[in-house]
Amino acid sequence: MTEPLSGATRIHFIVGDPIAQVKSPAGVTQALQAQGHNAYVVPAHVAPAQLAAWVDGVSLAQNVDGIIVTVPHKFACFDLCATTSDRAAFLHTVNTMRRNPDGTWHGDMFDGLGFVSALQDNGCQPEGKKALLVGAGGAGSAIAHALVVAGVSELAIFDADTARRTTLVDRLAGLGRCAVTHGSADPTGFDIVLNATPVGMQEGDPYPLDADKLQSSMFVGCVITAPAITPLIAAARAKGCGTMTGAHMFARVRDLMVNFLLEK
């Protein structure tokens, strides 16, 4: 049962540019209230140039307890946190911020953990597998790190932004846990094939990789939540691949974010 909005309600924002496509405010509000908290999640459409000023402004409100961060602000919000988890510090990106006792912000990044948990929920165990990841942005970086920590034998990363891709490949390779290489749009030879880009959100988008080369032995995943079944996932299912969708990932990320916001 939804708590009525009142002066005692605690506020959490979700900030992005754009924001109208985001479905999570209702789900995260429900999850917070299911744990006994009179709290609401409110969307905020903020352009990158105004982000720092906006965070400064909402920080003045003493009933604002958290900020959930979506594209394109995950890297910028890292710099607005006074403290972060070790994971967020490695990635230089956050997707959730909560208050420190002194009113400053503490950030963490749950996209990777949530994605890998969703893979496992859908029958894909990353340990010992060869993975191709398309996308080295905020979510892609977190997923790449989580895959390496989960024990993949090899990770290839493909991103049109070569500087961003090279930085991520070099940093992950420096962990010494597995081979981390520069990938391409060709999924041939991989056990796990993952899209962490927005390609597939808009009607008429191309595939983020060469879908004709998918094989039934591959597991294919995507971060996109709308449409629920992207063209990539539809193509993978037509080939007989195991799949997971952005909705699977979001359910896991939501639970991690709520626990963090409630300091559990």
Side-chain angles (χ1 to χ4, degrees):
M1 182 176 178
T2 303
E3 286 275 352
L5 190 64
S6 73
T9 299
R10 309 302 298 181
I11 299 300
H12 302 267
F13 283 100
I14 178 165
V15 61
D17 181 25
I19 200 67
Q21 81 286 355
V22 172
K23 310 298 184 187
S24 55
V28 179
T29 296
Q30 184 179 32
L32 286 164
Q33 296 195 4
Q35 297 202 37
H37 290 262
N38 180 2
Y40 277 77
V41 177
V42 179
H45 186 181
V46 181
Q50 280 76 52
L51 180 66
W54 178 83
V55 170
D56 283 344
V58 300
S59 298
L60 299 175
Q62 296 177 42
N63 63 333
V64 174
D65 292 339
I67 300 173
I68 297 167
V69 186
T70 189
V71 291
H73 299 318
K74 295 180 182 182
F75 287 105
C77 276
F78 172 83
D79 294 325
L80 302 179
C81 291
T83 58
T84 68
S85 68
D86 290 344
R87 172 175 49 245
F90 178 84
L91 294 164
H92 295 281
T93 182
V94 299
N95 76 337
T96 318
M97 301 157 61
R98 72 177 182 222
R99 294 279 198 170
N100 286 314
D102 65 358
T104 60
W105 294 102
H106 177 72
D108 207 337
M109 180 46 142
F110 300 110
D111 287 346
L113 286 180
F115 194 93
V116 168
S117 293
L119 281 177
Q120 294 166 334
D121 290 343
N122 286 274
C124 176
Q125 298 300 328
E127 187 174 2
K129 303 289 177 56
K130 295 176 63 176
L132 170 64
L133 175 68
V134 182
S141 297
I143 292 166
H145 180 258
L147 288 168
V148 170
V149 172
V152 294
S153 63
E154 178 183 335
L155 176 63
I157 300 171
F158 176 56
D159 193 294
D161 186 330
T162 55
R164 183 167 69 177
R165 179 185 69 205
T166 298
T167 297
L168 182 59
V169 167
D170 290 349
R171 296 189 75 236
L172 289 171
L175 294 175
R177 287 175 172 255
C178 69
V180 183
T181 63
H182 294 268
S184 72
D186 185 353
T188 301
F190 291 94
D191 306 303
I192 304 172
V193 179
L194 307 171
N195 175 45
T197 77
V199 178
M201 287 181 65
Q202 304 298 324
E203 188 173 348
D205 275 356
Y207 291 115
L209 51 85
D210 191 345
D212 289 337
K213 294 184 178 179
L214 294 174
Q215 301 292 324
S216 61
S217 60
M218 298 173 178
F219 188 95
V220 180
C222 186
V223 300
I224 293 170
T225 57
I229 306 300
T230 62
L232 174 63
I233 294 299
R237 291 180 177 178
K239 295 268 185 131
C241 302
T243 63
M244 63 156 279
T245 67
H248 293 133
M249 171 190 171
F250 173 71
R252 281 296 197 165
V253 172
R254 178 196 61 208
D255 292 344
L256 292 165
M257 291 191 303
V258 167
N259 287 340
F260 172 80
L261 289 170
L262 299 179
E263 300 186 65
K264 291 189 176 180

